[in-house]
Amino acid sequence: MDVKIGVLALQGDVSEHIDAFSAALAGRGCGKASTVVEVRNPVDLDGCSALALPGGESTTISRLIERNGLYEPIRTFKGGIFATCAGMVLMATDAADPRIHTLGLMDMTVDRNAFGRQKESFEADIPVIGLDGGPFHAIFIRAPVVTAAGAGVHVLATLDRGIVAAEKGRYMALAFHPELGGDLRLHERFLKNLGI
Ligand code: GLN
């Protein structure tokens, strides 16, 4: 099967997401014509089965989503969405920050920078519900947590400050950065959930 995946390429760790999804598509046995493309404008979403919302600065990414006319196209996008860190903030219903127009695709409240500033970044081996092969080595960089999750949001992993991984149907939101660590199990699980 040839699959096209988009990575929102307005700000943040875009190339790492492209590399990780390219490897994950190969790992899922997808066809050689499968592609991972940068999404900057609504037309770039055409034909995509999934979209990655990268880590970065959620206030900046939110502003650029609006500027590029992508807010409604992402909200109504029919494919899967794989959101990491700043992406998780954008997926929420409430980020308690007026500069961020959240997409509201997952019923959850997020606490941005819940672990403190850049120097409080850390790595941890965390158990993820339903993930075979042992704990996931997760990299947290100025990470958010989910402090409240509502209807349909399935919690996958929690640390002392709150929820750090969640799924809702075709959406996955992670407070950490699986695109940085080389472990593709979460990417592959996300693709499998989509029937890819
Ligand atoms: N704290 C950042 C924000 O809220 C996210 C950090 C990241 O994506 N690594 O935008």
Side-chain angles (χ1 to χ4, degrees), residues 13 54-61 84-87 89 100 112-114 116 118 140-144 175 177:
D13 68 335
E57 186 55 47
S58 52
T59 50
T60 304
I61 297 174
T84 71
C85 204
V89 173
I100 302 170
R112 294 180 62 217
N113 305 326
Q118 190 84 19
F140 293 84
I141 304 169
R142 286 188 303 121
H177 291 274

Side-chain angles (χ1 to χ4, degrees), residues 113-184:
N113 305 326
F115 298 96
R117 306 190 63 78
Q118 190 84 19
K119 65 180 168 48
E120 268 87 48
S121 297
F122 62 100
E123 301 184 17
D125 291 316
I126 58 169
V128 177
I129 289 172
L131 195 68
D132 295 332
F136 193 90
H137 187 73
I139 300 170
F140 293 84
I141 304 169
R142 286 188 303 121
V145 295
V146 173
T147 52
V153 176
H154 178 49
V155 175
L156 299 179
T158 306
L159 288 180
D160 55 348
R161 307 256 166 126
I163 297 161
V164 294
E167 249 173 10
K168 180 187 173 189
R170 62 187 198 275
Y171 302 142
M172 185 182 284
L174 308 167
F176 50 91
H177 291 274
E179 73 280 10
L180 298 182
D183 183 345
L184 296 172

Side-chain angles (χ1 to χ4, degrees), residues 41-118:
N41 296 293
V43 69
D44 301 328
L45 287 169
D46 290 354
C48 287
S49 302
L51 174 68
L53 302 182
E57 186 55 47
S58 52
T59 50
T60 304
I61 297 174
S62 179
R63 186 162 37 85
L64 295 173
I65 284 174
E66 303 270 9
R67 186 185 292 174
N68 288 27
L70 274 162
Y71 186 83
E72 275 310 315
I74 295 175
R75 260 187 66 79
T76 55
F77 178 62
K78 295 282 182 283
I81 299 184
F82 185 88
T84 71
C85 204
M88 179 187 235
V89 173
L90 292 165
M91 289 298 279
T93 34
D94 184 5
D97 187 327
R99 295 171 298 172
I100 302 170
H101 189 191
T102 60
L103 295 159
L105 292 170
M106 294 173 75
D107 181 4
M108 50 195 198
T109 302
V110 289
D111 179 10
R112 294 180 62 217
N113 305 326
F115 298 96
R117 306 190 63 78
Q118 190 84 19

